[in-house]
Amino acid sequence: MPNERLRAVMADGGWTYATLAQKVDVDPKSVERWVNLGRTPRRVTAMRAAETLGEDVHALWPALRQARAARAISPELVALYDQRADIPVSAFVDMLTQARKHIDVLVYAAVFLHEAYPRLNELLRERASEGCAIRIAVGDAESENVRARGEEEKFGHGIESRCQLALMHYRPLIGVPGIDIRIHGTTLYNSLYRADDQLLVNAHVWGVNAYGAPVWHLRRSGEGGMFDTYAESFDAVWSTATPVQHKG
């Protein structure tokens, strides 16, 4: 089956088989097969081609996203990704958009969400206006645990600045009915992104930035499973977090 998305992107950008092939260092016949036969290139080549075309690699070759998912050992495990960078921001946005009852976010900063999707605050307002309870917990820039994470990841004071930036992004939501913003100083073992019965868990690895660490996608299938374990950990952190007030 032809890859019509790739054909359209190339046409819009004025790319030919030959010019794209030269740019990504492959044979023009390979590019022709990508388009006309729907062949999927190797991941490294696909990433290079997508960057050249200014397009999301998973939008051009969805099979690459599926290839990164592990077989589900637990009935709650939907997918396992080698690193957060493998997941397009649209996957986070789509999950939050589908939420009807609960949205919980536990991070130190995760400013990539606002940077890649500037409408995030509007989306959260829309969800809250329709009855969704939203809880956002970001890192306290003054916390020793935040500072330690910066040292471990060789990020220095940058992580403290990113915590402050995250809070700046969320400040316009303070006071919005249905939305609660807090700061926490816990040791963050995992970043959590929950939307109703779906959960993205970004594990943290010593010395590795969050975007390079694994993510598992869980879907709650019953009481007492992995989903509930992480949901309960969110509640435990939330109970110790400090509500953020309007600046006077």
Side-chain angles (χ1 to χ4, degrees):
M1 180 180 295
N3 188 330
E4 298 298 344
R5 177 65 177 264
L6 177 59
R7 190 194 305 279
V9 170
M10 288 180 62
D12 288 345
W15 293 93
T16 66
Y17 300 147
T19 56
L20 182 59
Q22 182 179 22
K23 193 70 175 179
V24 299
D25 195 24
V26 298
D27 190 281
K29 291 183 179 178
S30 295
V31 179
E32 184 178 358
R33 287 192 286 269
W34 299 348
V35 175
N36 293 328
L37 300 180
R39 298 282 177 82
T40 300
R42 295 177 57 189
R43 176 171 290 274
V44 173
T45 303
M47 294 285 285
R48 190 159 57 238
E51 183 178 357
T52 299
L53 296 171
E55 183 62 66
D56 183 280
V57 67
H58 297 110
L60 293 175
W61 293 287
L64 289 176
R65 182 186 305 164
Q66 297 168 2
R68 305 298 276 189
R71 291 180 180 269
I73 298 172
S74 162
E76 293 188 303
L77 182 60
V78 177
L80 173 63
Y81 301 91
D82 286 353
Q83 53 186 11
R84 195 191 72 200
D86 289 333
I87 310 175
V89 172
S90 60
F92 290 86
V93 173
D94 289 347
M95 193 178 76
L96 297 177
T97 300
Q98 295 169 21
R100 294 296 179 266
K101 295 181 179 179
H102 304 285
I103 289 178
D104 292 333
V105 176
L106 172 62
V107 296
Y108 270 162
V111 293
F112 75 94
L113 288 174
H114 278 99
E115 290 172 346
Y117 189 70
R119 281 198 71 255
L120 181 62
N121 282 4
E122 293 176 46
L123 169 59
L124 295 176
R125 282 195 185 94
E126 290 167 3
R127 294 290 87 237
S129 69
E130 295 184 13
C132 191
I134 299 172
R135 300 183 294 179
I136 309 289
V138 300
D140 181 353
E142 302 299 320
S143 165
E144 288 299 324
N145 287 319
V146 168
R147 293 173 182 171
R149 178 61 55 81
E151 294 175 4
E152 292 163 5
E153 296 181 358
K154 296 180 172 45
F155 211 63
H157 295 294
I159 192 168
E160 296 161 39
S161 299
R162 291 177 77 80
C163 287
Q164 293 170 342
L165 179 58
L167 189 56
M168 287 175 58
H169 280 309
Y170 286 115
R171 271 200 177 277
L173 298 177
I174 297 173
V176 174
I179 300 179
D180 197 351
I181 311 293
R182 298 187 183 184
I183 57 174
H184 71 96
T186 63
T187 300
L188 192 64
Y189 299 105
N190 302 280
S191 293
L192 305 177
Y193 307 86
R194 177 189 181 181
D196 290 343
D197 287 341
Q198 294 195 73
L199 180 66
L200 291 173
V201 181
N202 187 184
H204 291 296
V205 180
W206 198 96
V208 177
N209 195 282
Y211 66 76
V215 173
W216 38 92
H217 180 182
L218 302 179
R219 179 177 289 112
R220 190 173 188 269
S221 64
E223 295 184 1
M226 288 194 297
F227 183 99
D228 284 351
T229 297
Y230 286 109
E232 289 166 8
S233 76
F234 179 95
D235 290 339
V237 173
W238 188 255
S239 69
T240 68
T242 303
V244 179
Q245 307 295 336
H246 278 293
K247 288 186 176 181

